[in-house]
Amino acid sequence: MSSTLLRAPKSGSKKIRILVAKPGLDGHDRGALVLCRAFRDAGMEVIYSGLLPTPEQVAQMAIDEDVDVVALSLLNGAHMTAFPKVVKYLKQKGGKDILVVGGGIIPDTDKSRLEKMGIKGNFGPGTLLKTIIDFIAVNVKNRKNTKTSAIRKKKGIS
Amino acid sequence: MVDSYWARKLGQLEERKRNTNKEFDKQSLDALRTRVKDWEKKILEHFISKSPERQDVFENASGVPLKRIYTLLDNGGPSYERELGLPGEFPYTRGVYPSMYRGRLWTMRMFSGFGTAEQTNKRLKYLLKEGETGLSIAFDMPTLYGYDADSDRAEGEVGKCGVSISSLEDMETLFSGIPLDQVSTSMTINAPAAVLTCMYAAVGEKQGMPLQKLRGTVQTDILKEYIAQKEWAFPPEAHLRIIRDMMVYCTKNMPYWHYISISGYHIREAGASAAQELAFTLADGFSYVELGKKAGLDVDSFVPRFSFFFNCDMDFFEEIAKFRAARRIWATVMKEKYKAKNPLSLLLRFHTQTSGVSLTWQQPLNNVVRTAIEALAAVLGGTQSLHTNSYDEAWALPTEEAVTVALRTQQIIAEETGVTHVTDPLGGSYYLEWLTNEMEEQAYRYFDKIDQLGGVLSAIKQGYLQREIANTSYLKTQQMENGKKSVVGVNKYLVDEEKPIKYLQVNPALQKKASIRLRALRRRRDQKKLKLSLEKLRAAFEDPEANSVQVMLAAVKSYATLQEIMDVGRKAFGGWKEPVLA
């Protein structure tokens, strides 16, 4: 499956690169399409997975596209299976630093479990776009900082 | 402008706006015009200067600017000949039947399905006991996409969004103890619609019901899948060919079976406006008329089995106008463009579901009110059957308690409000008649545009219809963000803390159980018979002139699974990748 993407320069750009994806059998793409536009309007470089990729394909796209964030959307109740799988494959493929955020119809009890498995945000219906955009901006920044400090530590730079 | 039927119709509608119905005399109309002007100057201006209106501009949900008052001068005094008709009379604006709900109430048909066939069977029996008058089955995602419960692709999705049906065995369980000769069933399934129809027919046969007597509806409308719901298995041409096969087969063998339900519901849920829902749905309908004609059928033989399915959202009058406009357009186009003679070909009969998108996760009990208002609009719009959503559906599939409230909402409208006593009770409202005309015109503008793009299929391949919907959906989201559009509990009248409600949870172990049962079935089958039937199906799929329904029925009866049948199609036809939308 090839992604339907808006190509943008990978290097030298400070823009957030984000993959919006629906991992699984779920054609409800209204929210995902709205998010693609909203992220783009917010100045991010947006790649959309298109419909029906497997979790593994989503992880591969994220690696191939060298994204900072993967935004997962599911409205079919499969988030507890599909979201953690994306995280698992990301780790396997060397993308453990990629921020993974989730959204859809996610009950509170699932939210805390997803959070523990590394899926952040887990936004429900009616969430303002601004809330999601701000969350991503802050968390990508934090992650990039931790990443840099970890590298610095490794290299013995203080 | 190209000289097409649609362009000519648009011309006629323009003409209508200029000429008020000749049934009214010019003198009284002029007097009315003067009176309205006087009122604006002498009464209104003075009043507004002291007590200003809340907004500068009032718009309906589709962004159509609204005047503060409508009179005969706005709706032109609709002509009974061309625009209204009496109920049961061309162009059926006022209703498809002469006596409407004074005779039979609409069918109360609650869309149900979750977990296993056993679980859903219990829910169906519960709803029948509580007074539901028709069945409606919701399938889970793997079933909708044509995968078995034990497929890798089904992981985590079995029974989640509906009932899981992988074989005739599941279907037998689903309808066990429900006499199919006493109830009609609607099945919301599209890509594998033919397979599920065959399963239903096979269950009917086991209950002693011949094909000729089976009553019900299968959705089948694949065009709106590419436009909105995005549940396909093959490329559009392949699905359309199988729909053609169903048309031919059902027209001959299943006279009471609605083999297609042309659906605007999903188009609307994907973000379309009411006018877009109306236009794209009817455009799909006309495409299916063309499909049947191309298969050599006479329109009057197959169009009477068409049924329609609309959404009903919160803008009360716009929804009612949409239903009325839909009936008028369908009857007019079938008569004028397709030269239908059979009155049944002109009737747009439809099911309505209240809007899922209008339900809020926040303060879920408010959804009871939303659903009631939407259901009332559907009834005032003359629906033939109705599903009311449950208040907890922004959380999960409904609990028994929530679904009972939803069913009771319909029963209260039917038994307590009195709206059923008079047909089209809002007909003649200056505002509603003007709005009906307005919706009609917007629809014709889209028909013309789609025609210029080469028809619905071509417009889908160009991504036009999908983008139109996405544009509206983005606009609506922005309006909610900036407060231009209010949603109680979401951007207005918020509470500090949302109290959780009890909601339905589907057991994740279900897939394992279903897989074990499927494996047992696979071992039990007559392998020779099975192989032969799938081979015949492959041959039928590969021959574009063949009809695939009869051989599919044989495959289903030999207990070929849903996915085994769909895989034959995937191999013969390939898959589908949609145009770039984002």
Side-chain angles (χ1 to χ4, degrees):
Chain A
M1 172 149 327
S2 68
S3 57
T4 49
L5 73 158
L6 185 83
R7 292 229 172 246
K10 286 183 194 176
S11 55
S13 165
K14 287 197 180 91
K15 283 186 172 180
I16 294 173
R17 273 179 80 78
I18 185 165
L19 169 67
V20 176
K22 292 183 66 66
L25 301 177
D26 184 13
H28 301 99
D29 60 358
R30 177 179 183 164
L33 293 176
V34 165
L35 284 171
C36 285
R37 283 205 199 184
F39 292 151
R40 204 165 287 152
D41 287 353
M44 300 185 199
E45 288 166 4
V46 181
I47 299 129
Y48 175 50
S49 69
L51 287 171
L52 315 176
T54 62
E56 184 170 8
Q57 286 167 333
V58 169
Q60 193 58 51
M61 273 181 230
I63 301 291
D64 293 346
E65 294 293 340
D66 191 20
V67 298
D68 305 301
V69 191
V70 179
L72 300 173
S73 162
L74 278 183
L75 292 103
N76 63 356
H79 49 269
M80 290 310 288
T81 320
F83 288 3
K85 274 200 159 181
V86 173
V87 171
K88 185 187 96 181
Y89 285 117
L90 276 175
K91 278 183 187 156
Q92 275 179 18
K93 293 171 191 284
K96 72 175 170 48
D97 287 323
I98 296 173
L99 171 68
V100 180
V101 293
I105 300 184
I106 303 172
D108 276 347
T109 42
D110 291 352
K111 274 183 195 168
S112 46
R113 286 166 64 201
L114 286 171
E115 192 80 22
K116 275 185 204 135
M117 290 188 273
I119 298 107
K120 307 296 177 195
N122 301 306
F123 302 104
T127 311
L128 290 177
L129 293 172
K130 192 181 170 326
T131 310
I132 302 170
I133 291 163
D134 289 349
F135 181 90
I136 288 171
V138 167
N139 283 277
V140 166
K141 212 172 139 205
N142 288 348
R143 226 161 239 252
K144 277 187 175 164
N145 289 344
T146 3
K147 197 171 149 189
T148 326
S149 56
I151 296 166
R152 280 168 168 248
K153 229 179 199 170
K154 226 176 173 179
K155 287 185 178 170
I157 311 163
S158 61
Chain B
M1 206 177 262
V2 196
D3 179 38
S4 70
Y5 173 75
W6 307 116
R8 262 179 286 133
K9 283 311 284 183
L10 279 169
Q12 285 173 15
L13 297 183
E14 277 303 314
E15 182 70 23
R16 173 174 76 187
K17 271 198 275 193
R18 282 195 297 273
N19 292 332
T20 307
N21 190 352
K22 300 202 170 50
E23 286 163 31
F24 298 91
D25 72 275
K26 195 175 171 302
Q27 216 174 355
S28 353
L29 287 170
D30 285 343
L32 179 60
R33 206 166 283 123
T34 313
R35 188 179 178 139
V36 171
K37 277 200 182 122
D38 276 0
W39 169 80
E40 279 173 352
K41 255 210 154 75
K42 287 181 190 150
I43 298 179
L44 182 74
E45 273 179 26
H46 176 70
F47 189 85
I48 290 183
S49 68
K50 287 192 169 164
S51 170
E53 294 183 328
R54 287 177 293 112
Q55 289 160 222
D56 292 338
V57 182
F58 287 80
E59 288 177 354
N60 76 1
S62 296
V64 176
L66 299 176
K67 290 167 68 167
R68 62 178 61 77
I69 179 102
Y70 288 83
T71 68
L72 180 61
L73 299 170
D74 298 291
N75 65 30
S79 128
Y80 270 77
E81 199 57 42
R82 287 189 319 271
E83 278 136 15
L84 286 182
L86 289 165
E89 204 181 80
F90 183 82
Y92 305 97
T93 310
R94 307 205 66 184
V96 285
Y97 301 123
S99 68
M100 287 302 289
Y101 307 134
R102 287 168 74 110
R104 235 190 81 210
L105 292 171
W106 62 91
T107 305
M108 298 181 190
R109 205 185 274 288
M110 304 299 281
F111 185 44
S112 318
F114 65 95
T116 59
E118 286 93 345
Q119 285 173 302
T120 300
N121 175 262
K122 268 192 207 144
R123 176 65 68 87
L124 298 179
K125 285 175 176 164
Y126 170 78
L127 285 166
L128 286 171
K129 181 173 97 22
E130 292 302 319
E132 137 168 289
T133 49
L135 300 175
S136 172
I137 312 297
F139 298 97
D140 71 355
M141 287 299 188
T143 309
L144 292 171
Y145 282 100
Y147 292 105
D148 287 344
D150 60 352
S151 157
D152 285 347
R153 290 247 51 181
E155 206 184 345
E157 307 201 24
V158 177
K160 282 274 170 68
C161 283
V163 60
S164 164
I165 299 290
S166 300
S167 73
L168 176 57
E169 186 180 56
D170 291 335
M171 202 72 162
E172 288 161 354
T173 310
L174 183 66
F175 292 105
S176 140
I178 299 174
L180 299 189
D181 57 340
Q182 285 166 39
V183 68
S184 70
T185 304
S186 166
M187 297 192 289
T188 296
I189 194 143
N190 296 278
V195 189
L196 271 291
T197 299
C198 290
M199 287 183 182
Y200 193 78
V203 173
E205 194 179 295
K206 287 202 169 180
Q207 286 193 8
M209 282 274 291
L211 284 176
Q212 287 73 17
K213 282 192 175 170
L214 281 184
R215 284 187 306 132
T217 309
V218 62
Q219 200 163 77
T220 316
D221 173 11
I222 205 70
L223 289 171
K224 67 94 175 51
E225 293 299 329
Y226 297 103
I227 297 171
Q229 190 172 234
K230 321 277 172 97
E231 286 159 10
W232 53 69
F234 319 136
E237 288 82 358
H239 280 302
L240 287 170
R241 174 258 155 112
I242 297 172
I243 295 174
R244 175 207 68 187
D245 294 354
M246 286 175 78
M247 263 180 192
V248 173
Y249 185 86
C250 295
T251 300
K252 209 168 142 200
N253 302 297
M254 300 173 77
Y256 295 108
W257 188 251
H258 294 284
Y259 52 81
I260 194 161
S261 169
I262 303 148
S263 309
Y265 188 82
H266 322 82
I267 291 174
R268 190 66 177 284
E269 291 285 300
S273 67
Q276 287 170 332
E277 178 196 359
L278 172 69
F280 300 170
T281 309
L282 295 188
D284 288 348
F286 301 136
S287 305
Y288 294 121
V289 175
E290 303 276 355
L291 185 70
K293 275 180 67 181
K294 236 174 102 186
L297 297 172
D298 169 28
V299 286
D300 284 326
S301 72
F302 70 98
V303 175
R305 294 322 293 163
F306 281 17
S307 65
F308 289 83
F309 172 25
F310 289 108
N311 200 307
C312 198
D313 207 304
M314 285 301 285
D315 192 324
F316 195 70
F317 286 99
E318 187 180 35
E319 297 302 331
I320 300 168
K322 177 186 77 184
F323 300 130
R324 300 173 88 247
R327 278 193 292 269
R328 183 194 295 169
I329 296 168
W330 185 257
T332 306
V333 176
M334 284 315 299
K335 188 177 174 181
E336 291 179 356
K337 187 167 193 276
Y338 295 106
K339 314 282 182 239
K341 301 273 184 304
N342 183 347
L344 292 174
S345 305
L346 310 183
L347 297 189
L348 181 140
R349 285 166 294 185
F350 66 99
H351 171 71
T352 307
Q353 178 167 342
T354 55
S355 160
V357 161
S358 72
L359 303 182
T360 63
W361 180 86
Q362 292 79 359
Q363 304 177 37
L365 279 179
N366 295 344
N367 293 328
V368 175
V369 180
R370 293 193 176 94
T371 298
I373 293 169
E374 293 164 353
L376 184 61
V379 170
L380 292 172
T383 196
Q384 274 58 62
S385 81
L386 180 61
H387 164 94
T388 30
N389 288 326
S390 300
Y391 63 82
D392 56 355
E393 289 194 68
W395 286 65
L397 297 188
T399 60
E400 196 170 280
E401 187 191 13
V403 82
T404 308
V405 176
L407 175 60
R408 294 287 181 259
T409 304
Q410 293 196 40
Q411 290 162 337
I412 289 167
I413 293 173
E415 310 280 348
E416 297 183 17
T417 64
V419 296
T420 51
H421 302 347
V422 174
T423 297
D424 191 30
L426 293 176
S429 145
Y430 301 123
Y431 172 39
L432 186 68
E433 296 297 354
W434 169 82
L435 195 53
T436 305
N437 290 352
E438 176 69 29
M439 301 285 293
E440 181 186 23
E441 202 183 309
Q442 288 190 47
Y444 277 106
R445 259 185 252 132
Y446 267 123
F447 299 151
D448 189 39
K449 171 79 188 169
I450 292 167
D451 196 36
Q452 286 175 34
L453 291 173
V456 170
L457 186 54
S458 164
I460 287 169
K461 289 185 173 173
Q462 294 167 54
Y464 169 74
L465 297 167
Q466 299 95 309
R467 271 192 291 273
E468 282 291 296
I469 295 171
N471 290 342
T472 309
S473 137
Y474 194 50
L475 185 74
K476 279 190 209 165
T477 312
Q478 284 175 320
Q479 286 174 341
M480 239 186 69
E481 298 266 313
N482 63 29
K484 196 178 166 200
K485 178 179 155 45
S486 301
V487 182
V488 170
V490 176
N491 64 0
K492 231 175 173 177
Y493 313 114
L494 277 62
V495 289
D496 292 336
E497 204 181 339
E498 291 289 344
K499 279 191 221 113
I501 53 168
K502 264 198 322 197
Y503 61 90
L504 187 92
Q505 278 170 304
V506 174
N507 185 356
L510 211 135
Q511 182 170 22
K512 209 173 231 172
K513 274 193 204 155
S515 303
I516 293 169
R517 218 179 34 234
L518 253 180
R519 269 203 297 279
L521 170 74
R522 287 204 171 99
R523 277 195 303 271
R524 253 194 347 262
R525 301 177 295 190
D526 179 339
Q527 304 300 333
K528 221 166 134 190
K529 200 171 139 197
L530 171 78
K531 226 178 127 186
L532 190 71
S533 72
L534 288 175
E535 182 52 38
K536 279 189 177 161
L537 182 64
R538 184 192 60 78
F541 277 165
E542 284 174 3
D543 174 5
E545 300 306 317
N547 191 303
S548 56
V549 178
Q550 190 73 51
V551 283
M552 195 182 281
L553 185 59
V556 160
K557 284 188 193 168
S558 66
Y559 289 88
T561 67
L562 172 67
Q563 185 172 345
E564 285 165 347
I565 291 173
M566 293 300 282
D567 279 347
V568 174
R570 286 186 188 98
K571 221 166 163 186
F573 304 123
W576 167 252
K577 177 117 188 72
E578 76 170 333
V580 177
L581 300 177

